[in-house]
């Protein structure tokens, strides 16, 4: 599994950000795509500025991908980064993103950005603008903590949305609660019709799996 290096360097440089990766585990065989969630770890100073940390994390990830192509291009592979509210509301991020892809020579299709469902309702205009920007650039979007909120469902129309991660509480509640079970089934079937992939989170026991 590809693992970006942890090489501390000067404050404010991409090398000063540690990138850890979590692989998505397939529930059933089929499909060649390998998916990884990237978790950036910045310095205390960087952590106080989420938008700056997001930008450094993207630069660090693209630099690693460009330098280690053989580690991740043998099979179709994608990486996702979770974004802060500050980044979603900064139009400059999208403008710089295209330039970063061009400089690195990395295809935008290999990189995606996670947006939590609550942000989709609380910052709707910013989220819609960001998803539209991703669609133009060719990178993809993941909706995290997806619970089938009626105000969020229309966002699934975008070609940029490729994956939803089910709200963890629904997955665990589905073991005992029929309504939660019905919602999980509905989410899985709905996104399947739309050609969107689905993931479950915090599966910490064989029973939940």
């Amino acid at each position: 599994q590809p693992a970006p290096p942890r090489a501390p360097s000067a404050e404010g440089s991409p090398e000063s950000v540690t990138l850890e990766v979590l692989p998505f585990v397939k529930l059933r065989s089929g499909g060649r795509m390998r998916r990884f969630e990237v978790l950036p770890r910045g310095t205390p100073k960087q952590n106080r500025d989420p938008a700056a940390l997001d930008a450094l994390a993207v630069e660090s990830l693209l630099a690693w991908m460009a330098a280690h192509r053989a580690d991740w291009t043998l099979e179709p592979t994608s990486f996702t980064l979770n974004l802060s509210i500050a980044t979603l509301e900064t139009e400059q991020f999208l403008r710089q993103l295209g330039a970063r892809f061009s400089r690195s020579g990395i295809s935008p299709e290999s990189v995606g950005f996670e947006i939590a469902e609550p942000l989709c309702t609380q910052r709707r205009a910013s989220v819609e603008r960001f998803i539209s920007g991703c669609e133009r650039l060719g990178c993809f979007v993941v909706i995290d903590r997806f619970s089938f909120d009626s105000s969020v469902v229309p966002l699934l129309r975008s070609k940029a949305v490729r994956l939803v991660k089910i709200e963890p509480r629904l997955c665990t509640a589905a073991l005992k609660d029929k309504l939660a079970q019905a919602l999980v089934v509905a989410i899985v079937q709905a996104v399947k019709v739309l050609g969107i992939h689905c993931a479950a989170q915090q599966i910490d026991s064989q029973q939940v799996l």
Side-chain angles (χ1 to χ4, degrees):
Q1 298 167 355
R6 306 179 184 184
S9 184
E11 189 77 59
S13 68
E15 293 81 8
S16 66
V17 177
T18 296
L19 300 181
E20 299 179 4
V21 293
L22 291 177
F24 283 68
V25 178
K26 296 179 181 179
L27 290 180
R28 57 178 62 88
S29 60
R32 295 180 58 202
M33 176 66 73
R34 298 183 301 169
R35 304 177 191 278
F36 295 89
E37 181 177 346
V38 180
L39 306 175
R41 310 295 186 199
T43 64
K45 181 179 179 180
Q46 291 169 338
N47 291 335
R48 290 194 292 270
D49 188 348
L53 179 59
D54 287 346
L56 287 172
V58 170
E59 286 192 38
S60 182
L61 175 62
L62 292 180
W64 179 87
M65 293 174 72
H68 300 83
R69 293 178 191 273
D71 292 332
W72 62 274
T73 56
L74 294 178
E75 295 182 74
T77 305
S78 67
F79 299 89
T80 63
L81 282 160
N82 203 313
L83 295 181
S84 65
I85 297 175
T87 296
L88 290 175
E89 296 183 334
T90 304
E91 295 185 30
Q92 185 180 6
F93 180 83
L94 279 175
R95 289 198 296 268
Q96 295 175 343
L97 192 57
R100 290 189 175 107
F101 281 122
S102 296
R103 287 197 304 268
S104 66
I106 299 297
S107 170
E109 293 184 352
S110 302
V111 179
F113 301 98
E114 291 192 17
I115 306 173
E117 185 182 79
L119 290 184
C120 295
T121 57
Q122 298 164 12
R123 300 289 196 278
R124 182 56 175 259
S126 297
V127 169
E128 288 182 340
R129 182 175 61 247
F130 184 84
I131 291 177
S132 296
C134 286
E135 191 169 338
R136 289 193 298 272
L137 286 173
C139 49
F140 65 93
V141 171
V142 176
I143 298 181
D144 190 17
R145 296 168 57 187
F146 187 70
S147 68
F148 228 163
D149 187 299
S150 60
S151 65
V152 177
V153 169
L155 296 177
L156 302 183
R157 291 182 182 276
S158 171
K159 295 179 181 178
V161 179
R162 289 195 205 161
L163 176 74
V164 300
K165 296 166 70 175
I166 301 174
E167 165 61 51
R169 289 175 296 182
L170 280 179
C171 294
T172 53
L175 296 175
K176 298 180 179 179
D177 181 67
K178 286 290 186 181
L179 179 58
Q181 187 179 115
L183 283 171
V184 170
V185 172
I187 291 171
V188 172
Q189 293 300 319
V191 299
K192 183 178 181 181
V193 170
L194 293 168
I196 297 173
H197 295 280
C198 189
Q201 303 182 77
Q202 298 180 17
I203 308 303
D204 53 8
S205 71
Q206 190 62 36
Q207 182 184 17
V208 180
L209 178 64

